[in-house]
PDB file of all heavy atoms in Angstrom:
ATOM      1  N   HIS C 310       7.022   7.210 -20.427  1.00 98.00           N
ATOM      2  CA  HIS C 310       7.377   6.094 -19.533  1.00 98.00           C
ATOM      3  C   HIS C 310       8.170   5.024 -20.285  1.00 98.00           C
ATOM      4  O   HIS C 310       9.139   4.435 -19.738  1.00 98.00           O
ATOM      5  CB  HIS C 310       6.141   5.504 -18.881  1.00 98.00           C
ATOM      6  CG  HIS C 310       5.282   6.449 -18.101  1.00 98.00           C
ATOM      7  ND1 HIS C 310       5.782   7.480 -17.361  1.00 98.00           N
ATOM      8  CD2 HIS C 310       3.925   6.502 -17.981  1.00 98.00           C
ATOM      9  CE1 HIS C 310       4.807   8.127 -16.793  1.00 98.00           C
ATOM     10  NE2 HIS C 310       3.647   7.601 -17.135  1.00 98.00           N
ATOM     11  N   LEU C 311       7.803   4.782 -21.561  1.00 98.00           N
ATOM     12  CA  LEU C 311       8.536   3.751 -22.325  1.00 98.00           C
ATOM     13  C   LEU C 311       9.960   4.230 -22.594  1.00 98.00           C
ATOM     14  O   LEU C 311      10.897   3.470 -22.556  1.00 98.00           O
ATOM     15  CB  LEU C 311       7.769   3.463 -23.617  1.00 98.00           C
ATOM     16  CG  LEU C 311       6.393   2.764 -23.479  1.00 98.00           C
ATOM     17  CD1 LEU C 311       5.786   2.504 -24.845  1.00 98.00           C
ATOM     18  CD2 LEU C 311       6.501   1.502 -22.667  1.00 98.00           C
ATOM     19  N   THR C 312      10.084   5.510 -22.894  1.00 98.00           N
ATOM     20  CA  THR C 312      11.388   6.077 -23.133  1.00 98.00           C
ATOM     21  C   THR C 312      12.302   5.925 -21.894  1.00 98.00           C
ATOM     22  O   THR C 312      13.474   5.522 -21.948  1.00 98.00           O
ATOM     23  CB  THR C 312      11.302   7.550 -23.508  1.00 98.00           C
ATOM     24  OG1 THR C 312      10.562   7.614 -24.724  1.00 98.00           O
ATOM     25  CG2 THR C 312      12.697   8.210 -23.699  1.00 98.00           C
ATOM     26  N   ASP C 313      11.665   6.152 -20.732  1.00 98.00           N
ATOM     27  CA  ASP C 313      12.402   6.021 -19.455  1.00 98.00           C
ATOM     28  C   ASP C 313      12.782   4.578 -19.228  1.00 98.00           C
ATOM     29  O   ASP C 313      13.922   4.278 -18.723  1.00 98.00           O
ATOM     30  CB  ASP C 313      11.559   6.571 -18.294  1.00 98.00           C
ATOM     31  CG  ASP C 313      11.389   8.071 -18.416  1.00 98.00           C
ATOM     32  OD1 ASP C 313      12.216   8.711 -19.058  1.00 98.00           O
ATOM     33  OD2 ASP C 313      10.341   8.580 -17.879  1.00 98.00           O
ATOM     34  N   LEU C 314      11.874   3.642 -19.517  1.00 98.00           N
ATOM     35  CA  LEU C 314      12.164   2.221 -19.331  1.00 98.00           C
ATOM     36  C   LEU C 314      13.296   1.785 -20.324  1.00 98.00           C
ATOM     37  O   LEU C 314      14.190   1.005 -19.972  1.00 98.00           O
ATOM     38  CB  LEU C 314      10.947   1.383 -19.516  1.00 98.00           C
ATOM     39  CG  LEU C 314       9.873   1.475 -18.418  1.00 98.00           C
ATOM     40  CD1 LEU C 314       8.621   0.698 -18.790  1.00 98.00           C
ATOM     41  CD2 LEU C 314      10.405   0.996 -17.081  1.00 98.00           C
ATOM     42  N   GLN C 315      13.246   2.359 -21.497  1.00 98.00           N
ATOM     43  CA  GLN C 315      14.335   2.030 -22.497  1.00 98.00           C
ATOM     44  C   GLN C 315      15.675   2.528 -21.966  1.00 98.00           C
ATOM     45  O   GLN C 315      16.672   1.830 -22.007  1.00 98.00           O
ATOM     46  CB  GLN C 315      14.010   2.783 -23.814  1.00 98.00           C
ATOM     47  CG  GLN C 315      15.107   2.636 -24.868  1.00 98.00           C
ATOM     48  CD  GLN C 315      15.055   1.367 -25.601  1.00 98.00           C
ATOM     49  OE1 GLN C 315      14.098   1.005 -26.282  1.00 98.00           O
ATOM     50  NE2 GLN C 315      16.114   0.534 -25.417  1.00 98.00           N
ATOM     51  N   SER C 316      15.726   3.716 -21.395  1.00 98.00           N
ATOM     52  CA  SER C 316      16.949   4.277 -20.797  1.00 98.00           C
ATOM     53  C   SER C 316      17.441   3.401 -19.668  1.00 98.00           C
ATOM     54  O   SER C 316      18.660   3.151 -19.544  1.00 98.00           O
ATOM     55  CB  SER C 316      16.702   5.691 -20.296  1.00 98.00           C
ATOM     56  OG  SER C 316      16.259   6.529 -21.334  1.00 98.00           O
ATOM     57  N   ILE C 317      16.534   2.915 -18.861  1.00 98.00           N
ATOM     58  CA  ILE C 317      16.913   2.010 -17.747  1.00 98.00           C
ATOM     59  C   ILE C 317      17.559   0.727 -18.319  1.00 98.00           C
ATOM     60  O   ILE C 317      18.598   0.300 -17.880  1.00 98.00           O
ATOM     61  CB  ILE C 317      15.672   1.667 -16.895  1.00 98.00           C
ATOM     62  CG1 ILE C 317      15.280   2.901 -16.077  1.00 98.00           C
ATOM     63  CG2 ILE C 317      15.938   0.475 -16.001  1.00 98.00           C
ATOM     64  CD1 ILE C 317      13.930   2.780 -15.374  1.00 98.00           C
ATOM     65  N   ALA C 318      16.939   0.180 -19.370  1.00 98.00           N
ATOM     66  CA  ALA C 318      17.530  -1.057 -19.954  1.00 98.00           C
ATOM     67  C   ALA C 318      18.941  -0.758 -20.492  1.00 98.00           C
ATOM     68  O   ALA C 318      19.891  -1.483 -20.279  1.00 98.00           O
ATOM     69  CB  ALA C 318      16.612  -1.587 -21.081  1.00 98.00           C
ATOM     70  N   SER C 319      19.040   0.393 -21.218  1.00 98.00           N
ATOM     71  CA  SER C 319      20.307   0.700 -21.823  1.00 98.00           C
ATOM     72  C   SER C 319      21.438   0.917 -20.804  1.00 98.00           C
ATOM     73  O   SER C 319      22.593   0.559 -21.031  1.00 98.00           O
ATOM     74  CB  SER C 319      20.185   1.989 -22.645  1.00 98.00           C
ATOM     75  OG  SER C 319      19.186   1.798 -23.653  1.00 98.00           O
ATOM     76  N   ALA C 320      20.975   1.362 -19.586  1.00 98.00           N
ATOM     77  CA  ALA C 320      21.982   1.612 -18.532  1.00 98.00           C
ATOM     78  C   ALA C 320      22.224   0.371 -17.689  1.00 98.00           C
ATOM     79  O   ALA C 320      23.075   0.361 -16.764  1.00 98.00           O
ATOM     80  CB  ALA C 320      21.469   2.714 -17.621  1.00 98.00           C
ATOM     81  N   ASN C 321      21.549  -0.701 -18.011  1.00 98.00           N
ATOM     82  CA  ASN C 321      21.683  -1.948 -17.204  1.00 98.00           C
ATOM     83  C   ASN C 321      21.820  -3.171 -18.093  1.00 98.00           C
ATOM     84  O   ASN C 321      21.052  -4.122 -18.007  1.00 98.00           O
ATOM     85  CB  ASN C 321      20.446  -2.082 -16.293  1.00 98.00           C
ATOM     86  CG  ASN C 321      20.425  -1.062 -15.161  1.00 98.00           C
ATOM     87  OD1 ASN C 321      21.044  -1.261 -14.106  1.00 98.00           O
ATOM     88  ND2 ASN C 321      19.706   0.041 -15.386  1.00 98.00           N
ATOM     89  N   GLY C 322      22.787  -3.113 -18.979  1.00 98.00           N
ATOM     90  CA  GLY C 322      23.120  -4.320 -19.784  1.00 98.00           C
ATOM     91  C   GLY C 322      22.152  -4.625 -20.886  1.00 98.00           C
ATOM     92  O   GLY C 322      22.124  -5.760 -21.450  1.00 98.00           O
ATOM     93  N   GLY C 323      21.200  -3.695 -21.162  1.00 98.00           N
ATOM     94  CA  GLY C 323      20.357  -3.856 -22.376  1.00 98.00           C
ATOM     95  C   GLY C 323      19.025  -4.627 -22.065  1.00 98.00           C
ATOM     96  O   GLY C 323      18.273  -4.943 -22.980  1.00 98.00           O
ATOM     97  N   ASN C 324      18.741  -4.911 -20.753  1.00 98.00           N
ATOM     98  CA  ASN C 324      17.454  -5.577 -20.471  1.00 98.00           C
ATOM     99  C   ASN C 324      16.946  -5.157 -19.112  1.00 98.00           C
ATOM    100  O   ASN C 324      17.598  -4.469 -18.311  1.00 98.00           O
ATOM    101  CB  ASN C 324      17.681  -7.139 -20.568  1.00 98.00           C
ATOM    102  CG  ASN C 324      18.514  -7.650 -19.440  1.00 98.00           C
ATOM    103  OD1 ASN C 324      18.132  -7.681 -18.249  1.00 98.00           O
ATOM    104  ND2 ASN C 324      19.776  -8.029 -19.769  1.00 98.00           N
ATOM    105  N   ARG C 325      15.750  -5.652 -18.790  1.00 98.00           N
ATOM    106  CA  ARG C 325      15.042  -5.391 -17.545  1.00 98.00           C
ATOM    107  C   ARG C 325      14.593  -6.758 -16.986  1.00 98.00           C
ATOM    108  O   ARG C 325      13.484  -6.879 -16.504  1.00 98.00           O
ATOM    109  CB  ARG C 325      13.927  -4.372 -17.735  1.00 98.00           C
ATOM    110  CG  ARG C 325      14.359  -3.022 -18.279  1.00 98.00           C
ATOM    111  CD  ARG C 325      13.252  -2.026 -18.474  1.00 98.00           C
ATOM    112  NE  ARG C 325      12.192  -2.600 -19.339  1.00 98.00           N
ATOM    113  CZ  ARG C 325      11.045  -3.091 -18.900  1.00 98.00           C
ATOM    114  NH1 ARG C 325      10.813  -3.139 -17.596  1.00 98.00           N
ATOM    115  NH2 ARG C 325      10.168  -3.643 -19.723  1.00 98.00           N
ATOM    116  N   ALA C 326      15.394  -7.741 -17.101  1.00 98.00           N
ATOM    117  CA  ALA C 326      14.967  -9.102 -16.791  1.00 98.00           C
ATOM    118  C   ALA C 326      15.015  -9.402 -15.313  1.00 98.00           C
ATOM    119  O   ALA C 326      15.774  -8.752 -14.569  1.00 98.00           O
ATOM    120  CB  ALA C 326      15.864 -10.089 -17.549  1.00 98.00           C
ATOM    121  N   HIS C 327      14.291 -10.410 -14.882  1.00 98.00           N
ATOM    122  CA  HIS C 327      14.336 -10.920 -13.510  1.00 98.00           C
ATOM    123  C   HIS C 327      15.745 -11.191 -13.061  1.00 98.00           C
ATOM    124  O   HIS C 327      16.536 -11.750 -13.851  1.00 98.00           O
ATOM    125  CB  HIS C 327      13.489 -12.188 -13.386  1.00 98.00           C
ATOM    126  CG  HIS C 327      13.778 -12.972 -12.121  1.00 98.00           C
ATOM    127  ND1 HIS C 327      13.298 -12.552 -10.920  1.00 98.00           N
ATOM    128  CD2 HIS C 327      14.425 -14.126 -11.919  1.00 98.00           C
ATOM    129  CE1 HIS C 327      13.704 -13.431  -9.969  1.00 98.00           C
ATOM    130  NE2 HIS C 327      14.383 -14.387 -10.555  1.00 98.00           N
ATOM    131  N   GLY C 328      16.104 -10.729 -11.864  1.00 98.00           N
ATOM    132  CA  GLY C 328      17.405 -11.065 -11.334  1.00 98.00           C
ATOM    133  C   GLY C 328      18.507 -10.164 -11.862  1.00 98.00           C
ATOM    134  O   GLY C 328      19.656 -10.249 -11.425  1.00 98.00           O
ATOM    135  N   ARG C 329      18.209  -9.275 -12.764  1.00 98.00           N
ATOM    136  CA  ARG C 329      19.166  -8.335 -13.301  1.00 98.00           C
ATOM    137  C   ARG C 329      18.940  -6.927 -12.718  1.00 98.00           C
ATOM    138  O   ARG C 329      17.807  -6.618 -12.285  1.00 98.00           O
ATOM    139  CB  ARG C 329      19.126  -8.273 -14.828  1.00 98.00           C
ATOM    140  CG  ARG C 329      19.178  -9.615 -15.543  1.00 98.00           C
ATOM    141  CD  ARG C 329      20.538 -10.272 -15.349  1.00 98.00           C
ATOM    142  NE  ARG C 329      20.613 -11.558 -16.075  1.00 98.00           N
ATOM    143  CZ  ARG C 329      20.907 -11.713 -17.361  1.00 98.00           C
ATOM    144  NH1 ARG C 329      21.099 -10.658 -18.112  1.00 98.00           N
ATOM    145  NH2 ARG C 329      20.974 -12.928 -17.941  1.00 98.00           N
ATOM    146  N   THR C 330      19.916  -6.044 -12.768  1.00 98.00           N
ATOM    147  CA  THR C 330      19.791  -4.740 -12.166  1.00 98.00           C
ATOM    148  C   THR C 330      18.655  -3.947 -12.864  1.00 98.00           C
ATOM    149  O   THR C 330      18.032  -3.084 -12.232  1.00 98.00           O
ATOM    150  CB  THR C 330      21.120  -4.000 -12.256  1.00 98.00           C
ATOM    151  OG1 THR C 330      21.563  -4.004 -13.601  1.00 98.00           O
ATOM    152  CG2 THR C 330      22.182  -4.668 -11.345  1.00 98.00           C
ATOM    153  N   GLY C 331      18.497  -4.199 -14.164  1.00 98.00           N
ATOM    154  CA  GLY C 331      17.504  -3.407 -14.878  1.00 98.00           C
ATOM    155  C   GLY C 331      16.083  -3.638 -14.415  1.00 98.00           C
ATOM    156  O   GLY C 331      15.233  -2.733 -14.517  1.00 98.00           O
ATOM    157  N   TYR C 332      15.791  -4.820 -13.794  1.00 98.00           N
ATOM    158  CA  TYR C 332      14.445  -5.024 -13.294  1.00 98.00           C
ATOM    159  C   TYR C 332      14.163  -4.161 -12.071  1.00 98.00           C
ATOM    160  O   TYR C 332      13.214  -3.454 -12.040  1.00 98.00           O
ATOM    161  CB  TYR C 332      14.161  -6.509 -12.968  1.00 98.00           C
ATOM    162  CG  TYR C 332      12.759  -6.630 -12.439  1.00 98.00           C
ATOM    163  CD1 TYR C 332      11.694  -6.520 -13.302  1.00 98.00           C
ATOM    164  CD2 TYR C 332      12.499  -6.703 -11.076  1.00 98.00           C
ATOM    165  CE1 TYR C 332      10.375  -6.592 -12.844  1.00 98.00           C
ATOM    166  CE2 TYR C 332      11.200  -6.728 -10.579  1.00 98.00           C
ATOM    167  CZ  TYR C 332      10.143  -6.644 -11.493  1.00 98.00           C
ATOM    168  OH  TYR C 332       8.857  -6.672 -11.006  1.00 98.00           O
ATOM    169  N   ARG C 333      15.124  -4.255 -11.080  1.00 98.00           N
ATOM    170  CA  ARG C 333      14.870  -3.472  -9.868  1.00 98.00           C
ATOM    171  C   ARG C 333      14.844  -1.976 -10.151  1.00 98.00           C
ATOM    172  O   ARG C 333      14.038  -1.228  -9.571  1.00 98.00           O
ATOM    173  CB  ARG C 333      15.910  -3.807  -8.784  1.00 98.00           C
ATOM    174  CG  ARG C 333      15.715  -3.063  -7.480  1.00 98.00           C
ATOM    175  CD  ARG C 333      14.443  -3.501  -6.759  1.00 98.00           C
ATOM    176  NE  ARG C 333      13.872  -2.486  -5.908  1.00 98.00           N
ATOM    177  CZ  ARG C 333      13.563  -2.679  -4.606  1.00 98.00           C
ATOM    178  NH1 ARG C 333      13.778  -3.846  -4.060  1.00 98.00           N
ATOM    179  NH2 ARG C 333      13.019  -1.722  -3.906  1.00 98.00           N
TER     180      ARG C 333
END
Side-chain angles (χ1 to χ4, degrees):
H310 300 325
L311 293 182
T312 298
D313 294 336
L314 290 174
Q315 175 79 63
S316 301
I317 287 169
S319 302
N321 290 275
N324 68 71
R325 301 180 304 101
H327 164 74
R329 308 294 181 84
T330 53
Y332 178 75
R333 182 66 207 234

